[in-house]
Amino acid sequence: MSGAWDDAAVSGTRLTDRVGIGVLTRLVDRDLVDEVLAGTGRTEKRSRLLPARVVVYYVMGLCLFFGESYEEVIRLLVNGLRFLGTWRKDWAVPTASAISQARRRLGPEPLRVLFERVALPCAQRGTQGAWLGRWRLMAIDGFVLDIPDTPANDSEFGRSGGKKNPAPFPQVKVVGLGECGTHAVVAARLGPWRVDEGVLAKALVTDFEPGMLITADRGFYAYRLWEAAAATGADLLWRMPDGPHLPVVRPLKDGSYESFLLDPKVRNRRANQRHRGSPVEEPAGIPVRVVEYEVTNREGKGEIFCLITTIMDPDEASAAELAAAYAERWELESSLDEIKTHQRGRGGVLRSKTPDMVEQEIWALLLTHYAVRHLMCEAADQADIDPDRLSFIRSLRIIRRQVTDQAGFSPSAPHKRS
């Protein structure tokens, strides 16, 4: 076999390095992968059948072709090279055991760091449905993934249901921060199923930024979490659970009102003072604005929504605008469903049988979903339409076909013979 690719082999370039994941390689390019591998100490000291960079793309390939076997996924990635005559005949498809060993050598850290480096908010100022005035609409939410039933996974992550009625599989809990307008998940934290979502959400606070409007369902509210989130400079719009009292300090012209959040420790102390008949001082709390409204279902039954926000001026965002913005939070739920159902497959269990590989697979799953959504956002911006009008399933199918049709397209230009 002769030609430019043989010259590359002669000059020491490994043909396995030509493996990419189609158009997604444009976002996760080989230079970035190499930089992350070096930074995480995964640069190899000797040539291998499956170099670390290839394993990174391979693990992402597993998340694109979830229903395929280990060996079939590597075949899908290299078939384009064979078709173009650019693959060495003496190279054999690695066994499942060899692939598993390569994944263990790589570990979860490179995929986590790659996700953190790549997954940035991607809505432009003109992206439809992504903004409320000057605020980028964001949301936090959580979901659970089933993982293989192995002693190691069960010990590390546990499962719901308790001893009397345990779930069939161990489970990992994921809480993500997503961009409502583009469905792009831009940050996440993982933990055992028994870890409260609020604990993982508190770890996500470091990813909040000024200019964001973070929405959250009532299951996330806690005084300390709100306090920490508000301190980041991001604005907040959270639904309140039943229980905390929100006194009316001052009614506002749009029907909302000013109130404050009281530290639970202070609230308990006040209750004890009342019980003893001692005088109670009215303490100061965290100022918030409250928006209350009713949502009726198809049967005509209503549900009261009580939202609190850090946006105190109705002229900046009216009660009606905030209620509409909160409804956009459901877009993140759609994103999580894309990961759980469409990308992974309905009822699918992750492949990995050890905790490190579970984490590696989840970071790859999130990275691959982000890459697909980023491309969809670019396409929507070019067509000047709302990204919601594009089908995730159809986009995923197109990218899968493109990966298998153009596997031979290098992340960087091949060396040519002069």
Side-chain angles (χ1 to χ4, degrees):
M1 187 163 49
S2 63
W5 292 83
D6 285 306
D7 285 354
V10 170
S11 65
T13 300
R14 296 174 296 183
L15 294 182
T16 45
D17 288 352
R18 303 296 178 182
V19 174
I21 44 172
V23 294
L24 301 188
T25 307
R26 184 167 60 86
L27 190 64
V28 188
D29 64 80
R30 67 179 288 174
D31 289 340
L32 175 61
V33 173
D34 287 347
E35 182 181 333
V36 168
L37 289 172
T40 55
R42 292 299 186 273
T43 302
E44 293 155 319
K45 296 181 175 62
R46 64 187 181 91
S47 177
R48 293 185 181 274
L49 183 66
L50 285 171
R53 186 195 304 129
V54 173
V55 181
V56 168
Y57 289 135
Y58 172 76
V59 177
M60 293 181 68
L62 290 176
C63 298
L64 280 176
F65 303 99
F66 192 85
E68 304 294 345
S69 69
Y70 268 27
E71 295 95 330
E72 183 60 22
V73 172
I74 197 71
R75 288 191 188 98
L76 290 169
L77 293 182
V78 304
N79 271 348
L81 291 171
R82 292 187 185 280
F83 176 75
L84 293 173
T86 57
W87 198 257
R88 291 180 302 183
K89 293 180 180 179
D90 61 347
W91 190 89
V93 173
T95 64
S97 175
I99 294 170
S100 295
Q101 291 177 24
R103 286 189 60 199
R104 284 195 292 272
R105 286 195 302 270
L106 181 68
E109 192 69 3
L111 272 301
R112 182 188 66 80
V113 174
L114 270 173
F115 174 73
E116 292 177 350
R117 292 281 299 272
V118 169
L120 303 173
C122 51
Q124 303 300 312
R125 284 302 311 180
T127 302
Q128 297 184 25
W131 303 86
L132 172 63
R134 61 184 174 86
W135 292 280
R136 185 187 298 271
L137 291 177
M138 308 290 291
I140 55 174
D141 207 351
F143 64 102
V144 171
L145 291 169
D146 291 336
I147 59 178
D149 187 5
T150 65
N153 284 345
D154 197 24
S155 175
E156 179 72 18
F157 298 107
R159 65 184 82 198
S160 61
K163 293 183 178 180
K164 292 185 178 180
N165 189 30
F169 298 100
Q171 296 163 315
V172 180
K173 188 170 289 183
V174 183
V175 172
L177 170 66
E179 194 173 37
C180 296
T182 65
H183 293 213
V185 178
V186 300
R189 298 294 185 274
L190 320 179
W193 76 268
R194 58 185 171 272
V195 172
D196 186 85
E197 285 186 337
V199 174
L200 297 177
K202 187 173 183 179
L204 267 182
V205 164
T206 55
D207 294 285
F208 294 3
E209 296 177 358
M212 292 180 174
L213 177 58
I214 313 289
T215 61
D217 199 3
R218 55 188 169 186
F220 284 98
Y221 174 75
Y223 180 87
R224 298 299 176 199
L225 180 56
W226 175 275
E227 186 178 43
T232 64
D235 281 291
L236 312 178
L237 179 65
W238 294 9
R239 186 179 178 186
M240 285 293 282
D242 297 333
H245 178 55
L246 295 169
V248 178
V249 174
R250 183 168 71 96
L252 299 172
K253 61 182 180 181
D254 64 342
S256 62
Y257 61 90
E258 292 180 2
S259 185
F260 59 85
L261 302 175
L262 199 59
D263 188 326
K265 294 179 179 179
V266 175
R267 186 184 301 117
N268 293 337
R269 186 165 64 247
R270 290 178 63 190
N272 291 333
Q273 289 174 333
R274 286 196 183 95
H275 180 72
R276 294 194 302 266
S278 304
V280 179
E281 291 187 13
E282 190 66 35
I286 300 176
V288 294
R289 179 171 157 220
V290 181
V291 176
E292 294 179 330
Y293 58 98
E294 184 177 15
V295 175
T296 56
N297 59 24
R298 293 178 181 177
E299 299 175 354
K301 298 178 180 178
E303 182 180 5
I304 300 297
F305 279 59
C306 177
L307 309 180
I308 58 173
T309 182
T310 54
I311 303 173
M312 304 300 291
D313 187 352
D315 290 331
E316 284 198 291
S318 69
E321 289 173 325
L322 290 172
Y326 180 76
E328 292 296 316
R329 191 192 66 80
W330 299 106
E331 299 294 347
L332 180 58
E333 289 200 3
S334 297
S335 303
L336 303 185
D337 185 66
E338 290 166 0
I339 295 170
K340 293 187 296 180
T341 303
H342 304 309
Q343 189 177 345
R344 183 190 60 166
R346 188 176 298 276
V349 178
L350 299 188
R351 304 169 185 263
S352 304
K353 297 181 179 180
T354 62
D356 277 357
M357 295 303 92
V358 166
E359 292 186 23
Q360 180 193 78
E361 187 174 359
I362 293 174
W363 290 120
L365 194 65
L366 293 168
L367 177 60
T368 306
H369 177 269
Y370 176 85
V372 174
R373 270 292 166 187
H374 187 277
L375 289 171
M376 292 175 66
C377 179
E378 286 186 337
D381 285 345
Q382 290 172 9
D384 194 24
I385 60 174
D386 192 315
D388 287 347
R389 292 181 58 186
L390 300 181
S391 166
F392 177 80
I393 299 175
R394 185 174 299 174
S395 301
L396 187 61
R397 288 171 181 165
I398 291 170
I399 288 170
R400 284 169 175 164
R401 289 197 299 268
Q402 196 272 345
V403 167
T404 56
D405 290 345
Q406 302 184 31
F409 282 59
S410 170
S412 65
H415 299 288
K416 293 183 178 180
R417 186 169 50 183
S418 58

